[in-house]
Amino acid sequence: MAKIVIIGAGSGFGRRLSMDILAREALRQGSISLVDINEESARNVGQWAAALVRQLGAPVEVKWTTDRREVLEGADYVVVAISVGGRAYGGSPYYEEVMIPSEFGVEQSVADTVGVGGVFRALRTIPEMLRICRDMEELCPDALMLNYTNPMAMLCWAMNEASSIEVVGLCHSVQGTAHQLATYIAKPYEEMTYWVAGINHMGWFLRLEWRGEDAYPLLYEASEDPETRARDAVRFEIFRQFGYFVTESSGHMSEYVPYFRKRPELLEEFNLQARRPPKEAPPSRWNWQDPDFLAEVRGEKPIELKTSREYASGIINAIETGEPFSFNGNVPNNGSIVNLPEECVVEVPCFADSGGVHVCVVGELPTQLAALNLSNIMVQDLAVQAALEGDKEKAIHACMLDPLTAAVCSLGEIRQMCERLFEAERHLLDYLD
Amino acid sequence: MAKIVIIGAGSGFGRRLSMDILAREALRQGSISLVDINEESARNVGQWAAALVRQLGAPVEVKWTTDRREVLEGADYVVVAISVGGRAYGGSPYYEEVMIPSEFGVEQSVADTVGVGGVFRALRTIPEMLRICRDMEELCPDALMLNYTNPMAMLCWAMNEASSIEVVGLCHSVQGTAHQLATYIAKPYEEMTYWVAGINHMGWFLRLEWRGEDAYPLLYEASEDPETRARDAVRFEIFRQFGYFVTESSGHMSEYVPYFRKRPELLEEFNLQARRPPKEAPPSRWNWQDPDFLAEVRGEKPIELKTSREYASGIINAIETGEPFSFNGNVPNNGSIVNLPEECVVEVPCFADSGGVHVCVVGELPTQLAALNLSNIMVQDLAVQAALEGDKEKAIHACMLDPLTAAVCSLGEIRQMCERLFEAERHLLDYLD
Amino acid sequence: MAKIVIIGAGSGFGRRLSMDILAREALRQGSISLVDINEESARNVGQWAAALVRQLGAPVEVKWTTDRREVLEGADYVVVAISVGGRAYGGSPYYEEVMIPSEFGVEQSVADTVGVGGVFRALRTIPEMLRICRDMEELCPDALMLNYTNPMAMLCWAMNEASSIEVVGLCHSVQGTAHQLATYIAKPYEEMTYWVAGINHMGWFLRLEWRGEDAYPLLYEASEDPETRARDAVRFEIFRQFGYFVTESSGHMSEYVPYFRKRPELLEEFNLQARRPPKEAPPSRWNWQDPDFLAEVRGEKPIELKTSREYASGIINAIETGEPFSFNGNVPNNGSIVNLPEECVVEVPCFADSGGVHVCVVGELPTQLAALNLSNIMVQDLAVQAALEGDKEKAIHACMLDPLTAAVCSLGEIRQMCERLFEAERHLLDYLD
Amino acid sequence: MAKIVIIGAGSGFGRRLSMDILAREALRQGSISLVDINEESARNVGQWAAALVRQLGAPVEVKWTTDRREVLEGADYVVVAISVGGRAYGGSPYYEEVMIPSEFGVEQSVADTVGVGGVFRALRTIPEMLRICRDMEELCPDALMLNYTNPMAMLCWAMNEASSIEVVGLCHSVQGTAHQLATYIAKPYEEMTYWVAGINHMGWFLRLEWRGEDAYPLLYEASEDPETRARDAVRFEIFRQFGYFVTESSGHMSEYVPYFRKRPELLEEFNLQARRPPKEAPPSRWNWQDPDFLAEVRGEKPIELKTSREYASGIINAIETGEPFSFNGNVPNNGSIVNLPEECVVEVPCFADSGGVHVCVVGELPTQLAALNLSNIMVQDLAVQAALEGDKEKAIHACMLDPLTAAVCSLGEIRQMCERLFEAERHLLDYLD
């Protein structure tokens, strides 16, 4: 009889996770509440989910609202997938977070993880995440937060420090990459085993096995084919140079390290582009007027039961039924990876059962991988401190330590770039001194 | 197609685990090899297992031998349940390990975990465990050892320090106690959830839930009934005084702490006895001439498929099939319990899947529980160092630090007691300086 | 121009430390303020110190008061040597802290460090220490507190957790024992070197050298002489059984471990007595009417400049002049001794210079010594938590884990004993739940 | 009666440290042995030291030799200041370590600490340092090694891992910088106090005080003056951007971070040059034919007693006399700085007395400083592992992680550069796989 709340339900996660949850028989009871500050989005997703519930004949209560406090009371699970201050990847302030660094020669690709874009996204998002935590502490202190919002590591870190709410951060990059690797070596995914650890978007396949045997030789062989290699140029380069495959796409990975985006010819060599987001973004990313969608909502067209690879429904199912479920979660390190800081947020193997979410001990990462993770973790650490203490100088230090930014700019340039962004996001960042 | 070897197969574990393994459909292939230094035991268990395989019509090869090296090559799993120097709980040297301390007023109950008995059992067993490890390093370096031999923590600790073989120590006390607790509170076991951590034989039910709610109030209530309380007097006392239930029986637990066995009237109050083992023990614990057993071996009587609560078959099944299995294992701490030493062996939640055995992060134990565990861990630490370095003085220090021994004797008496035991086990302990 | 405040100046530390300070030329300036809640004591010590200042012709301002807040403002050093609720070693509540355990067979010798006496002394003293800290946070937040009050480790631990004031705990047991050891081996103290670490009253001479060579063989030889051995029977026994000499006297040490005080014949064997404090103690320990003292105060008799071995004046001198001074201080562990908990208070080598007090890295203690320390540290930990959280149950757990108490009593008896003491000190412990 | 050996005595350290030692009265006994593989250098330094001893009339034995094994037996202190494979800063292989990276756009300034130059210097020097350790383990296992050779952190780290010899690494950058800071703020050095910690060449003035008050505001003010700032442009920039002053000169510091040397205009802005070492270097750096020097050797001209700021003689004096001496030493971290790895080599406050060298607990570095240190420590870690395991790939990873190299090159370029250097130093690096 789980009570599930999805905040930021208009984001795509609303429909995807509702579907995943309702696809599991054991979860067809209790309630799903869909929250979005955009009333139109909340209503549309809500009506669609209600239609699905009707279609399944399941005794699940569906609610939608623009005010999370109306539905948080007594919640068991709170999924969060929000964007603060504008659309996640278009218009202000995202536009400035990409274009101002670009003026200084820093050409980010996604700008939502670390880097100047990641740091400012954290600075504008953390206060709202903490407000959600405060509401949860009051209305559902024992609920588990499943966070999908980026920058994953910094948001979870801040909440771990500043709230008593249990947070597990979820992403699809581990399982997605595992599927890609199966494709690269042309083996069935079901026959593969892996053990992945590191930080979100920069996790490492410490073990990759096909039928119980090391599959890295197969992957190396596959990478000898220029066509395969070109499909994932940065990650194959990382794999061949450092010995391990990484969990986020070549585009993403290229901006977490200093090697790929500092010179135009390198961008070209690795099939990379400079991000150019739209200056204005539509208020909602979805076309709620799509005839198929409308037909589904009206019950005139059956909704196809198609589940995703997201972990959320598996975790909820494990806790509700006791059937163990294993996944990679973003959790406080606490010694799981011994050569990363105790208090940082790592993405490591976890499993869930009726006792909740349990984190596995990983041990030591190979030094070169720990070094690459650390170069990002130090940025996260300073950005989180900046947000929690309202300390602008620490935010600037965070950007100064970002590997790509530091590879391109001088300290003076980075400070200037930060000042430009503080100015551009003044309305969101006035809590900084 | 797992290749399984059971060393010490005449011990009862041979039949029990063979049965558990063969009861799982997915494991009805590969081979089971039964090793015992007693030829009669090896043969009897082997023939019985072969009869079971025939009865099931399973393509499993069954072998038996007195020489483990004949069957270790290429093994995937090696179960170890041995006794070194005599029968596990009767005759020499066990007899002396109980009776010499008794002369000094130390009345042990089982004498196989810590205490003077546990320390000397470790001193005489560790060298043989390491010889098994050496054989495995040579013949099956990637095999997983599942150890059932006591003293669990000291043996595993010594092997972790001195061998590259992966060892997981297994015991039935966690699951056994969980069943008992369900009985005490009169609830179905299936509706209970628990989270247990600590050290072998002194693990703590950190969380005990019935239908998702704290079940400790129910247990407290149950403990108000004098009859229930008398059934498990020491553990209920520990529970009421320190706030948590412990994993080994009242008899065992009473000898790990200084509170219960130092005065005759306390023994009586808590329904405890002084151990009085037989001076001579039969060469084998089993009656291989039992007519039912013989009929089973000859295939004249069908063997009933009755499985135990032992974890071994569940772990093997999880690794072979990928179906997750959760259990409590004895593994190197490595930060799982932050307020116990990094290098000690803890018994903590683990789970197994196709990637092997994974250890969960536990965090901090309540201080009083950590203190009770530490009082035993320091004994283990010194005993393990004594065995690995061949240092007699450290063995004496181990006994001096044992809580019960220290509560009863002076330092001089403990040293004298140790000297008596070194003398009695000279033939087994000549590797000590 | 140091501003020094001594709180509890009537305790003997007032005169001794005033003398030590004024004996150092570099410190003959600034001010010394003597505080005691007993007006008579404060005035007498104050007048005596003023007489000494006049005799030296030093430009030092001397003040005395019963109200510390009058003199704390802007202080640089605050020495604390207080007793809360009664005289330190006579009358209530000390009387009950010794005699109630005695009824249960626990015969303490000093009862001011760990044990039931130490725990209850901590419980009644910590609140006042924290009130002093609050006053200092307000009036002299940068002052260094030099604490001489017992139980040293628990008080310092509590202040470290709950106040921003920098505290260094000081004792004379290290330097005192070093002098004794020189006597035992009949060598000049000046030719000896030592390196001592552990916890207060249970520090270990990890290295003892005479003219750069290991002096432990000489000490062992000395201990062969029955007369020498009888002078320090417990410590020589510890030395011979565990390999290292300890810093507190035989009387003290005997109550920190389970080996010496649990049976009458052991008390006798090691020349130990059961403590029998006076039921009523005089309001002040000093005879302020002593004619010599009065003559000194009136300036009719010159005060002899005789310094003690206390570290306080050396530390103040080092900070004021920059001349390095090395000593053993009680400070938060923070990894100095790696096999003791991070947050406990250890007594380790420190040095002071113009930059303040610096703590040395010690590394690992021999396991048997760490085990003995830990058996006391767990008691301290629980007692400190009890005081800071107002949690009676933790105070009881602290007593249950005390090695001597646990060697003598059952859990039920310990709980009963604690309840008796809570009752006896109700007026001092009403802050516990 | 100290026995002192100086290995690499022709390096300048031979004369400087002999002078420092002989300038201290307490050290004018025992022996000084001067070792250099260049016979001419050894003889010249030896004769000069002998002349000084004669002039002082001190009972000190002076020896010189090309074979360290002749003089190591029973040594108390072994100073090491060597260069392996060529002159320290001229000719091959130094020439290639600067010029090959330069071809790839990496313009180092000193190339002896981290960076590609530092890594290869470590790879060629570590084996010889370990050979010295082996000789010491055999001939003077209790001697203290005082290492002056660079790259300091990597060499000490390798020796800590692979030898039982106690090593303290010494540098003059801390005390040198402290003198410069006194000049910048125009205050007498004697009135300043500082507390410095970090890693060699990148230590941080965590506290800088003048007469007990924070002197950083004065320094900030001084940095407002363009002329002062230009004298130390990189360090003032680091100070103003990150908040703390660093211990190595602007030239050095510029190559440890990615901010200053990646673009020509930045070199200019910060008054930096690209290093252009001589392709051929003279066999000895000293002109032994200098008439003044010859006159001193012949005793015709008195040698002026002029001491340096090097720590070595102060440490030896402290250990021999017991007079405490405080300094910054390069030692295994072991928790001194909690947010740097346990096993790395840190440069932290130490003090020496008759008990030897003691390391102070530092605690936590400000995050931005720890991040800068870590970016170098990860390089060191991999280079040390490469040398100890003979693993070429780890050496390449070390270079890939170097902040400046990573800011300039792609991974492919770095690998190519490394291969060029392996080729150029084949004769020195044939121990790598």
Side-chain angles (χ1 to χ4, degrees), chain B residues 4-24:
Chain B
I4 301 168
V5 176
I6 302 178
I7 299 177
S11 67
F13 283 100
R15 279 204 279 169
R16 201 182 313 152
L17 298 185
S18 297
M19 175 71 92
D20 287 354
I21 290 162
L22 292 167
R24 292 180 183 262

Side-chain angles (χ1 to χ4, degrees), chain B residues 241-242 258-259 262-263 266 367-368 371 378 381 385 393 397 400-401 406-411 413 415, chain C residues 241-242 258-259 262-263 266 367-368 371 378 381-382 385 393 397 400-401 406-411 413 415:
Chain B
Q241 297 287 5
F242 286 118
Y259 310 111
K262 64 196 157 195
R263 302 199 308 257
L266 288 171
T367 311
Q368 73 275 25
M378 301 315 286
D381 192 356
Q385 291 179 37
E393 193 67 16
H397 290 162
M400 286 172 169
L401 290 165
V408 172
C409 300
S410 71
L411 292 169
E413 290 157 356
R415 184 172 290 272
Chain C
Q241 297 285 5
F242 286 117
Y259 309 111
K262 64 196 158 197
R263 299 200 310 256
L266 289 171
T367 311
Q368 73 276 26
M378 301 316 285
D381 192 356
L382 283 158
Q385 290 179 37
E393 192 67 16
H397 290 163
M400 286 174 170
L401 290 165
V408 171
C409 300
S410 71
L411 292 169
E413 290 158 357
R415 185 172 289 271

Side-chain angles (χ1 to χ4, degrees), chain B residues 309-382:
Chain B
R309 285 181 198 141
E310 300 292 352
Y311 293 134
S313 70
I315 295 170
I316 296 173
N317 187 67
I319 298 177
E320 295 296 312
T321 68
E323 189 186 318
F325 177 76
S326 69
F327 64 100
N328 269 64
N330 289 275
V331 293
N333 187 18
N334 284 342
S336 170
I337 299 182
V338 297
N339 50 351
L340 295 184
E342 279 286 305
E343 61 284 0
C344 78
V345 168
V346 290
E347 191 173 83
V348 289
C350 295
F351 82 110
D353 61 15
S354 55
V357 168
H358 313 303
V359 177
C360 293
V361 172
V362 168
E364 216 169 305
L365 292 185
T367 311
Q368 73 275 25
L369 307 186
L372 292 170
N373 282 168
L374 270 170
S375 73
N376 281 224
I377 289 169
M378 301 315 286
V379 176
Q380 298 164 5
D381 192 356
L382 283 157

Side-chain angles (χ1 to χ4, degrees), chain D residues 25 64 149 238 258 308 327 343 352 369 413-414:
Chain D
E25 295 225 12
W64 58 90
T149 318
I238 291 287
S308 78
F327 64 100
E343 60 283 1
L369 307 186
E413 290 159 356
I414 301 172

